[in-house]
């Protein structure tokens, strides 16, 4: 799908039908025919349009001298549709292409990042500043998604205090997976932002440099927050693993004690139930009480011994 925008005099983005100079072409999951059309109309290398559609594409900057086009690939966060019960996230690449007369963004899915840029007052004639606005919107999306993940973590942590279930552990694993995606992508985006400061193909004015500094600050904040939440989750996982092991040990200890105390009477009764001559005759009226007394004495001796060893 292709949508074309151009800024009005006030900076508000307006959708237009035909191609014009200084416009913004937004491509979402484009077909091969659409890719070829944009590559020809905007004089853009076709690989600049195809590479961001590869979900494994890494964040980078690439400049083509022949067409004087610059490709900026960044990773942005989106919801993971494979787990609708939990707000987990993955990251996908988005391409920002700065041509002679056009700005082109290309992504494999529709995202909130582009929607947020559309709501802003941006000038498509200022190509470099427009690209920085997109990068800032991407960094802001990470911060928002991290806040959502932290809210889910707090909710799960409260539920863990009452009971521990496999579902809760699975939810923690999903949050950890999202944080791994975020940290990897944020660090890659940070490398791209650093290269923008010394890139010769992108000319930055003073206001642009201030905006780029804001992008860097937001991205660094995202990295620090992600690392913090990762450490907190590691601590929670380690603590609850210790609690689970401790509860299992206590359960095994209780079962072992029950087994020992149930074995002692069985041992006494089996001994006096043998079909051989024994000190106590079965004809004596106190023989049953005697066997019970011997069992009780033996259980008390074992109990006192275990208590002194602090096994109880």
């Amino acid at each position: 799908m292709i949508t074309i925008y151009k800024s009005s005099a006030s900076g508000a983005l307006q959708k237009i039908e035909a191609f014009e100079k200084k416009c913004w072409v937004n491509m979402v999951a484009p077909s091969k025919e659409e890719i070829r059309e944009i590559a020809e109309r905007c004089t853009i290398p076709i690989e600049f349009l195809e590479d961001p559609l590869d979900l494994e594409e890494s964040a980078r900057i690439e400049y083509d001298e022949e067409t004087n086009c610059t490709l900026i690939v960044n990773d942005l966060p989106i919801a993971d549709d494979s787990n609708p019960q939990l707000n987990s996230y993955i990251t996908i690449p988005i391409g920002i292409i700065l041509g002679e007369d056009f700005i082109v963004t290309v992504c494999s899915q529709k995202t909130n990042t582009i929607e947020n840029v559309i709501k802003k007052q941006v000038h498509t004639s200022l190509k470099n500043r427009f690209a920085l606005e997109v990068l800032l919107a991407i960094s802001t999306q990470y911060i928002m998604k991290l806040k959502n993940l932290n809210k889910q973590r707090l909710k799960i942590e409260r539920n863990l205090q009452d009971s521990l279930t496999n579902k809760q552990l699975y939810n923690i694993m999903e949050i950890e997976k999202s944080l791994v995606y975020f940290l990897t992508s944020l660090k890659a985006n940070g490398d791209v932002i650093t290269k923008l400061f010394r890139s010769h193909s992108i000319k930055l004015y003073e206001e642009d440099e201030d905006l780029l500094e804001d992008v860097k600050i937001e991205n660094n904040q995202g990295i620090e927050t992600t690392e913090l939440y990762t450490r907190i989750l590691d601590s929670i996982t380690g603590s609850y693993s210790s609690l689970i092991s401790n509860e299992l040990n206590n359960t095994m200890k209780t079962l072992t004690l029950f087994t020992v105390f149930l074995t002692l009477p069985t041992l006494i009764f089996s001994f006096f139930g043998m079909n051989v001559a024994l000190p106590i005759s079965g004809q004596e009226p106190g023989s049953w009480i005697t066997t019970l007394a011997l069992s009780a004495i033996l259980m008390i001796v074992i109990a006192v011994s275990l208590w002194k060893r602090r096994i109880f």
Side-chain angles (χ1 to χ4, degrees):
M1 182 178 71
I2 298 176
T3 311
I4 307 172
Y5 299 93
K6 191 172 183 180
S7 298
S8 63
S10 62
L13 286 173
Q14 297 176 342
K15 189 182 295 186
I16 59 177
E17 298 299 328
F19 284 87
E20 297 180 13
K21 288 188 175 182
K22 309 298 182 182
C23 71
W24 166 33
V25 180
N26 182 37
M27 305 175 69
V28 178
S31 63
K32 292 183 179 180
E33 291 75 15
E34 290 174 332
I35 291 175
R36 283 195 294 268
E37 178 187 358
I38 297 300
E40 292 174 1
R41 279 180 173 269
C42 302
T43 317
I44 296 173
I46 195 166
E47 59 270 16
F48 277 18
L49 298 172
E50 292 176 338
D51 289 351
L53 300 176
D54 182 6
L55 297 181
E56 303 299 325
E57 190 70 22
S58 58
R60 72 180 195 279
I61 298 178
E62 186 175 344
Y63 175 69
D64 183 72
E65 294 183 357
E66 193 172 318
T67 58
N68 195 26
C69 289
T70 302
L71 169 66
I72 303 173
V73 179
N74 251 33
D75 291 331
L76 56 85
I78 63 167
D80 186 3
D81 296 332
S82 63
N83 188 11
Q85 288 80 19
L86 188 73
N87 290 330
S88 59
Y89 302 97
I90 59 173
T91 57
I92 61 172
I94 181 173
I96 307 168
I97 304 160
L98 306 178
E100 287 286 350
D101 299 312
F102 301 96
I103 306 165
V104 180
T105 55
V106 55
C107 189
S108 59
Q109 296 184 33
K110 186 177 181 180
T111 66
N112 291 333
T113 301
I114 297 300
E115 298 296 326
N116 292 336
V117 173
I118 294 174
K119 296 175 184 177
K120 288 184 176 182
Q121 287 191 345
V122 292
H123 292 275
T124 54
S125 57
L126 304 175
K127 297 180 297 181
N128 297 341
R129 190 172 304 174
F130 182 89
L132 295 178
E133 288 287 355
V134 176
L135 295 180
L136 181 60
I138 291 173
S139 299
T140 304
Q141 280 293 308
Y142 277 106
I143 301 299
M144 293 175 60
K145 299 293 190 294
L146 283 167
K147 289 180 180 178
N148 292 336
L149 288 174
N150 191 48
K151 289 179 182 178
Q152 294 180 67
R153 179 190 64 80
L154 293 173
K155 182 179 179 181
I156 294 171
E157 192 173 348
R158 285 193 296 268
N159 294 333
L160 283 174
Q161 295 175 1
D162 299 327
S163 63
L164 182 63
T165 63
N166 289 337
K167 181 180 179 181
Q168 291 168 340
L169 293 176
Y170 178 75
N171 290 342
I172 289 178
M173 289 171 57
E174 286 293 319
I175 294 176
E176 287 180 333
K177 184 183 75 172
S178 299
L179 292 176
V180 170
Y181 274 112
F182 281 16
L183 187 58
T184 304
S185 297
L186 283 167
K187 287 184 175 180
N189 291 352
D191 293 338
V192 171
I193 293 168
T194 302
K195 290 178 182 177
L196 284 173
F197 278 101
R198 54 176 184 266
S199 176
H200 299 292
S201 62
I202 300 178
K203 185 178 180 181
L204 299 177
Y205 297 98
E206 185 176 349
E207 291 183 6
D208 298 336
E209 291 180 353
D210 292 339
L211 184 56
L212 181 57
E213 190 67 34
D214 292 339
V215 175
K216 183 178 180 181
I217 291 171
E218 286 287 315
N219 193 80
N220 289 339
Q221 182 183 349
I223 293 174
E224 293 172 0
T225 305
T226 304
E227 290 176 339
L228 173 63
Y229 290 167
T230 301
R231 289 195 295 269
I232 291 173
L233 274 180
D234 289 341
S235 175
I236 291 173
T237 304
S239 298
Y240 277 98
S241 295
S242 300
L243 286 175
I244 292 171
S245 299
N246 189 45
E247 289 181 2
L248 180 60
N249 290 337
N250 289 335
T251 302
M252 296 302 297
K253 177 181 173 182
T254 302
L255 291 175
T256 302
L257 291 174
F258 271 113
T259 302
V260 169
F261 285 114
L262 290 175
T263 302
L264 293 175
T266 305
L267 179 65
I268 298 296
F269 297 151
S270 299
F271 178 75
F272 285 101
M274 290 188 294
N275 193 19
V276 295
L278 295 171
I280 302 176
S281 172
Q283 304 297 326
E284 296 180 8
S287 59
W288 171 246
I289 297 176
T290 302
T291 55
L292 288 178
L294 289 172
S295 300
I297 291 170
L298 187 57
M299 291 175 67
I300 291 172
V301 171
I302 297 297
V304 171
S305 176
L306 294 175
W307 179 73
K308 286 184 176 181
R309 293 172 181 267
R310 296 186 177 180
I311 296 178
F312 269 124

